[in-house]
Amino acid sequence: MHDFSNKTAVVTGGATLIGQALVEKLVARGARVAVLDVDRAQGEALAERLGERVLFLATDITRDEQLLDAMEATEARFGGVDFLVNLACSYQDDGLQADRSAWLSALDVNLVSAAMATRAALPAMRRRGGGAVVNFTSISARVAQTGRWLYPVSKAAMLHLTRCMALDLAPERIRVNSVSPGWTWSRVIAELSGEDSAKADRVAADYHLLGRLGRPEEVANVVCFLCSEEAGFVTGADYAVDGGYSAMGPEQSRPAIPRLAE
Ligand SMILES: NC(=O)c1ccc[n+]([C@@H]2O[C@H](COP(=O)([O-])OP(=O)(O)OC[C@H]3O[C@@H](n4cnc5c(N)ncnc54)[C@H](O)[C@@H]3O)[C@@H](O)[C@H]2O)c1
């Protein structure tokens, strides 16, 4: 198990289900964690539940001054910043119908704010002599999904931002990687399935080789690995945490050639 004693992580979007699983895991391994989110109710409840090693900072990541304040508050409370996880996202996406302001707002949350959060965290990471950044992309980064333009495009850009950041931050001893989850048990999936995880698993089975949804803890495990020294030679990489979604092609896992003889 990774030992994150004396390490501090900043997690944007940490109030969400996947974020909470990550924060819990980081804390269980000894880290202190600052959660930056606009969801005050969930964020405060999480900090209360996990105790003094979690600091919730109500922060809108699209506001540069709030990001700077949050990094300053984290360093003041915990003595530094070692890891930054850019997890917050917006699913706002009307595809073809989205106007300019919808595009800019989706890209602002999903992409530009990850770059700005990294800029804001950099001075504190430099003072620690290095660190690790983990960006959240998605299976949606690599395939087109009908009706959706903003979210997949922002996640595709995040993949490349990860490589750009890895290149320029390597001399600072900061590794930058991303995770691309498949369908994961989360607020949206809980809402859409009526909190029915068995039903969500059944629907997900068609698209994921492992025949089910991912669990928030399974995504958190890979993020912890990427932060840890065990990933000391890993940078500029994307890790699929998708139960085999991205290994499947259009033929899915059903025999296609025999259809010619039907
Ligand atoms: N849920 C899935 O199946 C799935 C699949 C692939 C990738 N992902 C990725 O995993 C991450 C978490 O996804 P989720 O489904 O848990 O998301 P979610 O919508 O449940 O949570 C997003 C979080 O971001 C926060 N947020 C939004 N705008 C913000 C802002 N301006 N400032 C600060 N915080 C803000 C929200 O308050 C929320 O807590 C995202 O990056 C998402 O793209 C999720």
Side-chain angles (χ1 to χ4, degrees):
M1 188 155 95
H2 315 118
D3 179 8
F4 293 141
S5 312
N6 303 319
K7 299 290 186 193
T8 297
V10 172
V11 181
T12 75
T16 191
L17 282 181
I18 299 173
Q20 292 196 27
L22 174 61
V23 175
E24 279 173 27
K25 231 170 245 296
L26 288 164
V27 167
R29 293 166 190 199
R32 284 136 321 164
V33 185
V35 173
L36 279 50
D37 205 297
V38 284
D39 187 339
R40 191 181 278 276
Q42 293 291 336
E44 283 175 352
L46 176 67
E48 190 153 325
R49 182 158 59 81
L50 295 182
E52 60 182 18
R53 282 199 280 135
V54 173
L55 173 65
F56 172 68
L57 296 163
T59 306
D60 181 345
I61 58 167
T62 65
R63 304 286 298 275
D64 289 340
E65 70 286 359
Q66 293 190 23
L67 279 174
L68 289 168
D69 286 351
M71 298 304 169
E72 201 176 301
T74 304
E75 209 180 8
R77 166 84 172 262
F78 295 137
V81 175
D82 301 282
F83 312 139
L84 168 66
V85 182
N86 287 308
L87 181 146
C89 80
S90 160
Y91 287 116
Q92 172 201 6
D93 193 338
D94 291 330
L96 172 64
Q97 305 309 324
D99 62 13
R100 185 177 298 275
S101 94
W103 266 100
L104 293 177
S105 135
L107 290 174
D108 200 4
V109 176
N110 288 351
L111 176 69
V112 181
S113 295
M116 294 305 110
T118 306
R119 267 167 56 111
L122 203 51
M125 283 186 164
R126 280 192 182 122
R127 285 190 276 278
R128 297 285 259 197
V133 177
V134 181
N135 293 325
F136 266 70
T137 73
S138 168
I139 45 172
S140 312
R142 295 174 198 269
V143 292
Q145 294 165 315
T146 185
R148 305 177 92 189
W149 291 19
L150 285 57
Y151 179 81
V153 166
S154 65
K155 292 297 182 178
M158 193 73 141
L159 276 182
H160 201 50
L161 175 65
T162 300
R163 292 186 280 260
C164 298
M165 285 167 58
L167 193 97
D168 286 335
L169 297 181
E172 314 247 22
R173 297 164 52 84
I174 297 170
R175 296 179 298 101
V176 187
N177 295 290
S178 59
V179 287
S180 289
W183 291 18
T184 309
W185 182 252
S186 53
R187 178 187 55 81
V188 174
I189 290 183
E191 280 171 15
L192 291 173
S193 67
E195 302 280 338
D196 185 342
S197 64
K199 177 182 174 193
D201 276 339
R202 279 198 303 279
V203 178
D206 282 350
Y207 311 118
H208 301 75
L209 294 181
L210 297 180
R212 61 172 175 84
L213 290 177
R215 312 280 176 240
E217 311 77 57
E218 292 172 316
V219 177
N221 282 337
V222 179
V223 177
C224 284
F225 163 69
L226 290 171
C227 289
S228 78
E229 275 307 307
E230 284 176 28
F233 201 51
V234 181
T235 197
D238 179 59
Y239 272 58
V241 195
D242 66 2
Y245 179 110
S246 54
M248 253 193 295
E251 296 176 21
Q252 296 191 302
S253 56
R254 291 190 284 273
I257 306 283
R259 293 185 61 206
L260 292 168
E262 280 172 10

